[in-house]
C-alpha cells in the first residue's frame, strides 16, 4: 500500500472517531436500587445503566452519565448541561417545564408508588392513615385531599433509609414510596423482609419511567425503536433486576419463593375449611 493510501485510511478512521455521536444522560444521585444507584466510586449502576449501555452498544452512540442531586437534574436539562434526563415523565414538575417543548420516550419500565404498612395494618381503610412517612420531594398521589383537610399529617425524611426506620418504629401509619424499591431495601439491605408490605387497597399511582430531552427529539425515535427491537433482551434485564416484580399482583416486589409459600399456605387453609 502506498503511503498516500495509508494516510487516507488513517484520516477516515480519525474522522469516524471524531464524528461519533456522543451524548450525556443526566441521572439521579440517589439510592434507588434495583432501578439505579451510585457506587462507592460515584459510578452509575443498576438496571438503568445496563439498559442504556445496551442501547449504546446496539446503536453505535457514545453515552456518558452525569450524576446530579435530584433537584438539580431538571434545571441541568433545561439549561443544556445534559442532553437527556432519566427518569422523567410528562406528569412531573409541570410548572418548571411550562413553555418548554420536551420530548419523551416510550415507557422504559413500569412502576407503582403507594403506601407500605405493617402486616397487621394491611387492609385497613384510608381513614386509619393519619400520619404518613414521606421522602422529601415526593408527591403522595391520591392523598392530597385528605392532607389539605388536615386528616393526614406528613412526616418528611431525607432518604428512604430514614423513612423506613421511622415507619418501622411505628411513628407513622405507613410509608409512601416506590413499592419495588422499598421492598428491595427491606429484603436486601435492611434485612427485614415482610416488615412493611404494600397495601393495594389504599390509593396508589401507576406510571412508567421515561427518557426526556429538550433538543434531541429525532434521537428519541431511535431509542423507541431500540425498546421495541430489543424487547427480549430488555425483558431479561427486567427479570434479573426484578424492577417490575409482580406489578399486577397484591404482592408487588415480593420474591418468588415467598409467593410460592403464600400460595401453599392458602391451599392448606382452603383444604382445612
Amino acid at each position: 500500500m502506498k503511503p498516500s493510501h495509508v494516510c487516507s485510511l488513517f484520516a477516515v478512521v480519525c474522522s469516524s472517531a471524531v464524528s461519533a455521536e456522543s451524548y450525556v444522560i443526566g441521572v439521579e444521585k440517589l439510592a434507588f436500587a434495583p432501578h439505579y444507584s451510585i457506587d462507592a466510586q460515584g459510578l452509575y449502576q443498576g438496571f438503568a445503566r445496563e439498559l442504556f449501555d445496551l442501547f449504546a452498544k446496539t446503536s453505535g452512540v457514545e453515552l456518558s452519565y452525569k450524576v446530579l442531586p435530584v433537584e438539580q437534574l431538571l434545571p441541568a436539562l433545561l439549561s443544556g448541561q445534559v442532553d437527556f434526563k432519566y427518569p422523567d415523565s410528562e406528569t412531573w414538575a409541570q410548572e418548571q417545564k411550562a413553555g418548554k417543548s420536551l420530548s419523551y420516550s416510550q415507557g422504559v419500565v413500569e412502576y407503582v408508588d403507594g403506601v407500605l404498612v405493617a402486616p397487621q395494618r394491611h387492609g385497613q381503610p384510608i381513614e386509619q392513615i393519619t400520619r404518613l412517612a414521606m421522602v422529601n420531594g415526593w408527591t403522595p398521589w391520591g392523598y392530597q385531599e385528605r392532607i389539605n383537610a388536615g386528616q393526614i399529617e406528613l412526616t418528611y425524611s431525607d432518604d428512604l433509609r430514614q423513612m423506613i426506620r421511622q415507619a418501622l418504629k411505628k411513628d407513622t401509619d405507613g410509608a409512601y414510596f416506590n413499592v419495588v424499591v422499598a421492598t428491595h431495601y427491606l429484603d436486601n439491605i435492611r434485612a427485614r423482609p415482610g416488615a412493611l408490605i404494600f397495601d393495594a387497597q389504599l390509593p396508589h399511582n401507576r406510571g412508567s419511567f421515561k427518557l426526556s430531552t429538550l433538543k434531541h427529539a429525532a434521537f428519541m425515535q431511535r431509542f423507541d425503536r431500540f425498546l421495541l427491537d430489543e424487547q427480549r433482551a430488555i425483558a431479561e434485564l427486567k427479570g434479573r433486576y426484578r424492577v417490575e416484580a409482580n406489578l399486577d399482583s397484591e404482592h408487588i416486589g415480593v420474591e418468588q419463593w415467598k409467593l410460592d409459600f403464600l400460595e401453599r399456605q392458602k391451599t392448606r387453609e382452603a383444604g382445612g375449611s
Side-chain angles (χ1 to χ4, degrees):
M1 183 180 289
K2 295 181 180 179
S4 60
H5 290 166
V6 174
C7 292
S8 297
L9 179 60
F10 181 75
V12 169
V13 172
C14 290
S15 175
S16 298
V18 170
S19 62
E21 293 179 73
S22 179
Y23 302 97
V24 178
I25 301 179
V27 296
E28 297 180 338
K29 186 178 182 180
L30 190 65
F32 206 71
H35 287 277
Y36 49 86
S37 59
I38 311 303
D39 68 13
Q41 287 71 47
L43 298 177
Y44 190 56
Q45 61 181 5
F47 163 78
R49 172 64 189 262
E50 286 208 41
L51 177 104
F52 290 127
D53 282 356
L54 177 63
F55 171 68
K57 179 180 178 181
T58 58
S59 63
V61 302
E62 295 179 0
L63 295 178
S64 59
Y65 306 93
K66 187 174 182 64
V67 178
L68 292 167
V70 175
E71 66 275 9
Q72 296 180 20
L73 191 50
L74 181 57
L77 176 70
L78 299 179
S79 64
Q81 297 176 49
V82 297
D83 298 301
F84 302 94
K85 176 183 182 294
Y86 185 83
D88 206 349
S89 169
E90 297 94 332
T91 63
W92 299 357
Q94 292 182 350
E95 290 185 7
Q96 289 177 266
K97 296 174 179 178
K100 305 291 185 180
S101 299
L102 269 69
S103 299
Y104 297 86
S105 71
Q106 295 297 311
V108 173
V109 60
E110 302 300 306
Y111 70 85
V112 173
D113 295 340
V115 172
L116 295 97
V117 299
Q120 61 269 26
R121 296 186 62 94
H122 187 271
Q124 293 187 355
I126 190 173
E127 288 78 13
Q128 297 297 317
I129 302 291
T130 60
R131 298 193 61 183
L132 194 57
M134 294 277 297
V135 172
N136 286 320
W138 280 69
T139 300
W141 300 104
Y143 296 85
Q144 201 60 52
E145 185 176 332
R146 297 186 66 82
I147 293 167
N148 293 341
Q151 296 167 327
I152 293 179
E153 176 188 353
L154 297 180
T155 304
Y156 286 101
S157 300
D158 292 330
D159 54 31
L160 172 62
R161 177 188 59 82
Q162 187 182 78
M163 183 191 70
I164 292 294
R165 184 172 68 241
Q166 204 171 47
L168 290 176
K169 289 168 60 181
K170 300 181 180 168
D171 290 344
T172 65
D173 301 314
Y176 186 95
F177 204 70
N178 179 284
V179 177
V180 166
V181 173
T183 302
H184 176 86
Y185 175 82
L186 283 163
D187 286 356
N188 300 287
I189 301 172
R190 188 62 188 263
R192 292 285 303 275
L196 297 174
I197 57 176
F198 171 60
D199 195 334
Q201 298 176 56
L202 293 172
H204 54 279
N205 180 53
R206 290 179 177 269
S208 57
F209 293 150
K210 300 181 178 183
L211 186 69
S212 67
T213 185
L214 187 62
K215 300 179 179 179
H216 304 288
F219 176 98
M220 208 62 85
Q221 296 176 9
R222 293 164 59 190
F223 183 68
D224 284 345
R225 172 56 61 180
F226 158 77
L227 294 177
L228 186 64
D229 292 344
E230 299 294 334
Q231 286 183 70
R232 182 174 298 180
I234 295 170
E236 188 278 329
L237 268 182
K238 289 180 176 179
R240 179 149 52 87
Y241 280 98
R242 296 183 58 78
V243 289
E244 291 180 344
N246 307 303
L247 284 190
D248 295 322
S249 163
E250 61 178 315
H251 304 295
I252 292 177
V254 176
E255 295 181 56
Q256 189 59 48
W257 70 267
K258 296 176 189 172
L259 291 177
D260 294 340
F261 170 79
L262 291 172
E263 190 60 37
R264 290 195 300 271
Q265 188 177 47
K266 187 185 300 183
T267 301
R268 284 198 300 270
E269 290 173 355
S273 60

